[in-house]
Structure formats: C-alpha cells, structure tokens
Amino acid sequence: MISLLLAAIIVAFILSMNTGYIRLSPSDVIHTLFGQGTNKQELILFEFRLPRIIISVLVGAGLALSGAILQGLSRNALADPGILGINAGAGLAVVLFISFYPTNMAAPVFMMPLLAMLGAGIAAAIIYSLSYKKGVGISPTRLILVGIAVAAGISAAMIVLTIRMNPQNYQFVAVWLAGSIWGTNWKFVMALLPWLILFIPFVMYKAKTLNVLQLGDQVASGLGTPIEKERLSLLVAAVALAGACVAVGGGIGFVGLIGPHLAKQLVGPKNQFLLPASMLAGGLLLIVADTLARWILQPTEIPTGIVVAVIGAPYFLYLLAKSKA
C-alpha cells in the first residue's frame, strides 16, 4: 500500500508539472528536464513549478506526520495541528514578524520556520495546560474544544494586526493565511528541508515508543517507558514540524487530519507503517489540492488551503459525528 501511495504521488507530480496558465505537454516537460527545452520552458519548470510542487509534497508530508503524532499521543482521532490551534500559533508569529518588518519581500526566508516553530510551541503549551486536569489527564473532547477556542483567539489577534499593516503586507498576509503555497522558489525548499531531515528520522525511530504510549499511561509505565520524557519529545517534534510547514506553506488545515486517517485505512494502526504512509498520503493530498487550485479557475488561482478545506471540513464533521466522546 505504501508503494501505491508513492506511485500516486509520482503520477500527481507529473500531472502537476503539466498544469498551469502556460501549458507544457508531457513531451515538453521531459525534454526540459533533460536540458533540451527552450529558455522559457526551463524558466517555467525549474523556477516556478518544480519548487512549488516539491514544497507542496514536503508541507503535506510534514503536516500529516505532525497530525499522526498528535493523534497517537492524545489517542484522539480528531487531533490535527490546524484544528488544535498549533498552526494558528505559528501563523501569529509569522504575522507579527511581517507586521513589524519593513517589507515581506526582504524577510529572511530561513528565519521564518524558527519564528513559526516558536509560535506553534507557545500555542501548544497554552492548549496543553488548559486541557489538562489533575487526576484526569486530557479529555479528547476538551482538547478539541480548547484548541478551537485558542485558535479563534489567535485568529482575532491576527485580524487586529493586519488592520495596521500597509497594503503590500496586508495583501501578502491575506493570501498566506488562506493557505496559498506562496514560497515558490528554491530558497523556501532549502528553508524547510533541513527541519524535515532533522525531525522525520527522529519520529520514525520513536515509532515503537508511540505504539507503547497509545496503550495508556499505566501499561506504558509498566513496560518501563519514561512516559513524560517520550511524550514531550514527540510533542516537540510534532509542533516543530507543523510550525516549519506553516511558515512555508501558509495556513493550510485538515492535512494533518485526513492524511493519517487515509493511511490508517491502507496500512493499519502500527506506527512503523502508519507514520511513513501518513507522510505520503499528506503529500499526495496537498499536491493534488495545489494542482486543482491552479487549474480550476485559470488564469486566476485559488489558495490551496481553500481546496483542502472544501475536502477537510466535511470529513471533520463526519468524524465528529462518529466520535463517541
């Protein structure tokens, strides 16, 4: 099943390279990839489409992996960095930076993921502290409600900040908050890639530990697992992944919800298989959504986050209706 997801990503990747206001046929793409295209075709493919497609796959994979970790730690099928307000915290940090920085075009690209991770971490700490009850722990329903409330508060703060922005920064933030894949050059790929290279192997190494944590605190403690230490390390990884992806991809929600659920249907609940399958499912979801966003209303473009939300919002309501919590 993992190979099936990988094959689907390759097909979506090829279709996405052919999609855009300026059409490139499959033969044009192949010739350009092998250095036989025109200067115009090379500019379109290598400077605009390929970076955006790669960023879509990386952001989708990172958000889905973050969602899979959060669902495993909270034992809550509705957990998602967007729904829980972690993405909103990352977004607030970026908006704060943009609102006080002279111009978004000169904003240091490599600083954005660090700021977003800081904002996501603060939001996660607030949500965790408000959701936790001594002697009871964290209720799945309470976690979702607190996350939605914190996300709403952060969104209100972002609206206040955007009011005082100049028109250039306001337009950028409006598009970014809608979930547009706005980082369309190789600098943004290089800004995101190191964080994924750092955290993905760590999370994969902790897959068996996450399996144990999902059995409950008493069982995990009885098996000799240092619960709080392992939970904190995985939570930090989930928050960092979400923050870095939001910094580059914008306010895209529901990928961390749908990706793990799709992966679980294909490979089952064991995290050794679920985590990599979640990344592939998230990458596939976002590359398909971004391709549709560029194709549906050509020559105009829909923010990718809106396309994902059209899919994700009904699915979230469906899961909420099924939930027994």
Short mmCIF file of all heavy atoms in Angstrom, two decimals, residues 282-315:
data_model
loop_
_atom_site.label_atom_id
_atom_site.label_comp_id
_atom_site.label_asym_id
_atom_site.label_seq_id
_atom_site.Cartn_x
_atom_site.Cartn_y
_atom_site.Cartn_z
N GLY A 282 -0.36 12.63 3.04
CA GLY A 282 -0.41 14.08 3.16
C GLY A 282 0.21 14.78 1.97
O GLY A 282 -0.32 15.77 1.46
N GLY A 283 1.36 14.27 1.51
CA GLY A 283 2.00 14.84 0.34
C GLY A 283 1.12 14.71 -0.89
O GLY A 283 1.00 15.64 -1.69
N LEU A 284 0.48 13.55 -1.05
CA LEU A 284 -0.42 13.33 -2.20
C LEU A 284 -1.62 14.27 -2.14
O LEU A 284 -2.00 14.89 -3.15
CB LEU A 284 -0.90 11.88 -2.20
CG LEU A 284 -1.92 11.50 -3.28
CD1 LEU A 284 -1.33 11.68 -4.67
CD2 LEU A 284 -2.40 10.06 -3.07
N LEU A 285 -2.22 14.41 -0.94
CA LEU A 285 -3.37 15.29 -0.78
C LEU A 285 -3.04 16.72 -1.17
O LEU A 285 -3.80 17.38 -1.91
CB LEU A 285 -3.87 15.23 0.67
CG LEU A 285 -4.97 16.23 1.05
CD1 LEU A 285 -6.24 15.95 0.27
CD2 LEU A 285 -5.25 16.18 2.54
N LEU A 286 -1.90 17.22 -0.72
CA LEU A 286 -1.58 18.62 -0.94
C LEU A 286 -1.15 18.88 -2.39
O LEU A 286 -1.48 19.93 -2.94
CB LEU A 286 -0.48 19.08 0.02
CG LEU A 286 -0.45 20.59 0.29
CD1 LEU A 286 -1.82 21.09 0.73
CD2 LEU A 286 0.58 20.94 1.33
N ILE A 287 -0.44 17.95 -3.01
CA ILE A 287 -0.05 18.17 -4.40
C ILE A 287 -1.28 18.14 -5.32
O ILE A 287 -1.38 18.92 -6.27
CB ILE A 287 1.03 17.15 -4.84
CG1 ILE A 287 1.64 17.59 -6.18
CG2 ILE A 287 0.47 15.76 -4.98
CD1 ILE A 287 2.80 16.71 -6.62
N VAL A 288 -2.25 17.26 -5.01
CA VAL A 288 -3.49 17.21 -5.79
C VAL A 288 -4.29 18.50 -5.57
O VAL A 288 -4.80 19.10 -6.53
CB VAL A 288 -4.33 15.98 -5.41
CG1 VAL A 288 -5.73 16.06 -6.01
CG2 VAL A 288 -3.64 14.70 -5.87
N ALA A 289 -4.38 18.95 -4.30
CA ALA A 289 -5.12 20.18 -4.00
C ALA A 289 -4.48 21.39 -4.67
O ALA A 289 -5.18 22.25 -5.22
CB ALA A 289 -5.19 20.39 -2.48
N ASP A 290 -3.16 21.46 -4.66
CA ASP A 290 -2.46 22.59 -5.28
C ASP A 290 -2.63 22.57 -6.80
O ASP A 290 -2.79 23.62 -7.42
CB ASP A 290 -0.98 22.55 -4.91
CG ASP A 290 -0.25 23.80 -5.38
OD1 ASP A 290 -0.69 24.91 -5.03
OD2 ASP A 290 0.75 23.66 -6.11
N THR A 291 -2.60 21.38 -7.38
CA THR A 291 -2.82 21.27 -8.83
C THR A 291 -4.22 21.73 -9.20
O THR A 291 -4.41 22.48 -10.17
CB THR A 291 -2.59 19.82 -9.30
OG1 THR A 291 -1.27 19.41 -8.92
CG2 THR A 291 -2.72 19.71 -10.80
N LEU A 292 -5.23 21.30 -8.43
CA LEU A 292 -6.60 21.74 -8.67
C LEU A 292 -6.74 23.24 -8.48
O LEU A 292 -7.47 23.90 -9.24
CB LEU A 292 -7.56 21.00 -7.72
CG LEU A 292 -7.78 19.51 -7.98
CD1 LEU A 292 -8.61 18.90 -6.87
CD2 LEU A 292 -8.45 19.29 -9.34
N ALA A 293 -6.06 23.79 -7.48
CA ALA A 293 -6.13 25.23 -7.22
C ALA A 293 -5.60 26.05 -8.39
O ALA A 293 -6.09 27.15 -8.67
CB ALA A 293 -5.34 25.56 -5.95
N ARG A 294 -4.61 25.51 -9.09
CA ARG A 294 -4.04 26.21 -10.24
C ARG A 294 -4.83 25.97 -11.52
O ARG A 294 -4.66 26.71 -12.49
CB ARG A 294 -2.58 25.79 -10.44
CG ARG A 294 -1.65 26.30 -9.37
CD ARG A 294 -0.21 26.02 -9.68
NE ARG A 294 0.15 24.64 -9.42
CZ ARG A 294 0.63 23.80 -10.34
NH1 ARG A 294 0.77 24.19 -11.59
NH2 ARG A 294 0.95 22.56 -10.00
N TRP A 295 -5.68 24.93 -11.53
CA TRP A 295 -6.35 24.53 -12.76
C TRP A 295 -7.81 24.95 -12.84
O TRP A 295 -8.30 25.33 -13.91
CB TRP A 295 -6.26 23.00 -12.89
CG TRP A 295 -7.06 22.44 -14.03
CD1 TRP A 295 -6.77 22.51 -15.36
CD2 TRP A 295 -8.30 21.73 -13.92
NE1 TRP A 295 -7.76 21.88 -16.09
CE2 TRP A 295 -8.71 21.39 -15.23
CE3 TRP A 295 -9.10 21.33 -12.84
CZ2 TRP A 295 -9.87 20.68 -15.50
CZ3 TRP A 295 -10.27 20.62 -13.10
CH2 TRP A 295 -10.64 20.30 -14.41
N ILE A 296 -8.53 24.96 -11.72
CA ILE A 296 -9.99 25.12 -11.74
C ILE A 296 -10.43 26.43 -12.39
O ILE A 296 -11.31 26.45 -13.26
CB ILE A 296 -10.56 25.02 -10.31
CG1 ILE A 296 -10.40 23.59 -9.79
CG2 ILE A 296 -12.04 25.41 -10.28
CD1 ILE A 296 -10.79 23.43 -8.33
N LEU A 297 -9.83 27.55 -11.98
CA LEU A 297 -10.27 28.87 -12.46
C LEU A 297 -9.17 29.59 -13.23
O LEU A 297 -8.97 30.79 -13.07
CB LEU A 297 -10.73 29.73 -11.27
CG LEU A 297 -11.97 29.27 -10.51
CD1 LEU A 297 -12.27 30.20 -9.36
CD2 LEU A 297 -13.19 29.19 -11.44
N GLN A 298 -8.46 28.88 -14.07
CA GLN A 298 -7.41 29.53 -14.86
C GLN A 298 -8.00 30.70 -15.65
O GLN A 298 -9.12 30.60 -16.15
CB GLN A 298 -6.81 28.52 -15.85
CG GLN A 298 -5.91 27.49 -15.22
CD GLN A 298 -5.28 26.57 -16.27
OE1 GLN A 298 -5.43 26.76 -17.46
NE2 GLN A 298 -4.56 25.56 -15.81
N PRO A 299 -7.27 31.84 -15.74
CA PRO A 299 -5.88 32.06 -15.31
C PRO A 299 -5.74 32.50 -13.85
O PRO A 299 -4.64 32.66 -13.37
CB PRO A 299 -5.44 33.19 -16.24
CG PRO A 299 -6.67 33.98 -16.50
CD PRO A 299 -7.79 32.98 -16.53
N THR A 300 -6.87 32.70 -13.13
CA THR A 300 -6.75 33.03 -11.72
C THR A 300 -6.44 31.76 -10.92
O THR A 300 -6.57 30.65 -11.43
CB THR A 300 -8.05 33.66 -11.19
OG1 THR A 300 -9.13 32.77 -11.43
CG2 THR A 300 -8.31 34.98 -11.89
N GLU A 301 -6.08 31.95 -9.66
CA GLU A 301 -5.64 30.82 -8.84
C GLU A 301 -6.34 30.84 -7.48
O GLU A 301 -6.44 31.89 -6.84
CB GLU A 301 -4.12 30.91 -8.65
CG GLU A 301 -3.52 29.77 -7.88
CD GLU A 301 -2.00 29.93 -7.76
OE1 GLU A 301 -1.35 30.10 -8.80
OE2 GLU A 301 -1.49 29.88 -6.62
N ILE A 302 -6.83 29.71 -7.06
CA ILE A 302 -7.46 29.57 -5.74
C ILE A 302 -6.38 29.20 -4.73
O ILE A 302 -5.53 28.36 -5.02
CB ILE A 302 -8.54 28.47 -5.75
CG1 ILE A 302 -9.56 28.73 -6.84
CG2 ILE A 302 -9.22 28.35 -4.39
CD1 ILE A 302 -10.53 27.58 -7.05
N PRO A 303 -6.38 29.79 -3.52
CA PRO A 303 -5.44 29.33 -2.50
C PRO A 303 -5.62 27.85 -2.21
O PRO A 303 -6.75 27.36 -2.09
CB PRO A 303 -5.80 30.18 -1.28
CG PRO A 303 -6.40 31.41 -1.84
CD PRO A 303 -7.13 30.97 -3.08
N THR A 304 -4.52 27.13 -2.11
CA THR A 304 -4.56 25.69 -1.91
C THR A 304 -5.31 25.32 -0.63
O THR A 304 -6.02 24.31 -0.57
CB THR A 304 -3.12 25.14 -1.84
OG1 THR A 304 -2.43 25.55 -3.02
CG2 THR A 304 -3.11 23.62 -1.77
N GLY A 305 -5.17 26.14 0.41
CA GLY A 305 -5.83 25.86 1.67
C GLY A 305 -7.34 25.82 1.55
O GLY A 305 -8.01 25.07 2.29
N ILE A 306 -7.90 26.59 0.62
CA ILE A 306 -9.35 26.58 0.43
C ILE A 306 -9.80 25.25 -0.18
O ILE A 306 -10.81 24.67 0.22
CB ILE A 306 -9.78 27.77 -0.46
CG1 ILE A 306 -9.53 29.08 0.29
CG2 ILE A 306 -11.25 27.65 -0.87
CD1 ILE A 306 -9.85 30.32 -0.51
N VAL A 307 -9.01 24.75 -1.15
CA VAL A 307 -9.34 23.45 -1.76
C VAL A 307 -9.28 22.35 -0.71
O VAL A 307 -10.16 21.48 -0.65
CB VAL A 307 -8.38 23.15 -2.93
CG1 VAL A 307 -8.68 21.77 -3.53
CG2 VAL A 307 -8.47 24.23 -4.00
N VAL A 308 -8.24 22.38 0.14
CA VAL A 308 -8.11 21.37 1.19
C VAL A 308 -9.27 21.48 2.18
O VAL A 308 -9.82 20.47 2.64
CB VAL A 308 -6.77 21.51 1.92
CG1 VAL A 308 -6.66 20.50 3.06
CG2 VAL A 308 -5.61 21.30 0.96
N ALA A 309 -9.67 22.72 2.50
CA ALA A 309 -10.76 22.92 3.45
C ALA A 309 -12.09 22.40 2.91
O ALA A 309 -12.92 21.88 3.67
CB ALA A 309 -10.89 24.40 3.79
N VAL A 310 -12.31 22.53 1.60
CA VAL A 310 -13.53 22.01 0.99
C VAL A 310 -13.63 20.50 1.18
O VAL A 310 -14.71 19.94 1.39
CB VAL A 310 -13.57 22.38 -0.52
CG1 VAL A 310 -14.69 21.62 -1.23
CG2 VAL A 310 -13.77 23.88 -0.68
N ILE A 311 -12.47 19.84 1.14
CA ILE A 311 -12.43 18.40 1.37
C ILE A 311 -12.46 18.08 2.87
O ILE A 311 -13.17 17.19 3.32
CB ILE A 311 -11.16 17.78 0.74
CG1 ILE A 311 -11.12 18.06 -0.77
CG2 ILE A 311 -11.10 16.27 0.99
CD1 ILE A 311 -9.79 17.73 -1.41
N GLY A 312 -11.66 18.84 3.63
CA GLY A 312 -11.41 18.51 5.03
C GLY A 312 -12.54 18.84 5.98
O GLY A 312 -12.80 18.08 6.93
N ALA A 313 -13.24 19.95 5.77
CA ALA A 313 -14.30 20.37 6.70
C ALA A 313 -15.43 19.33 6.79
O ALA A 313 -15.83 18.94 7.89
CB ALA A 313 -14.83 21.74 6.33
N PRO A 314 -15.97 18.86 5.66
CA PRO A 314 -17.00 17.81 5.76
C PRO A 314 -16.47 16.53 6.40
O PRO A 314 -17.19 15.86 7.16
CB PRO A 314 -17.40 17.56 4.30
CG PRO A 314 -17.00 18.78 3.57
CD PRO A 314 -15.77 19.28 4.27
N TYR A 315 -15.21 16.19 6.12
CA TYR A 315 -14.64 14.98 6.71
C TYR A 315 -14.50 15.12 8.23
O TYR A 315 -14.74 14.18 8.98
CB TYR A 315 -13.29 14.69 6.08
CG TYR A 315 -12.72 13.34 6.45
CD1 TYR A 315 -13.30 12.16 6.00
CD2 TYR A 315 -11.60 13.23 7.28
CE1 TYR A 315 -12.81 10.92 6.35
CE2 TYR A 315 -11.08 12.00 7.63
CZ TYR A 315 -11.68 10.85 7.16
OH TYR A 315 -11.18 9.62 7.52
#
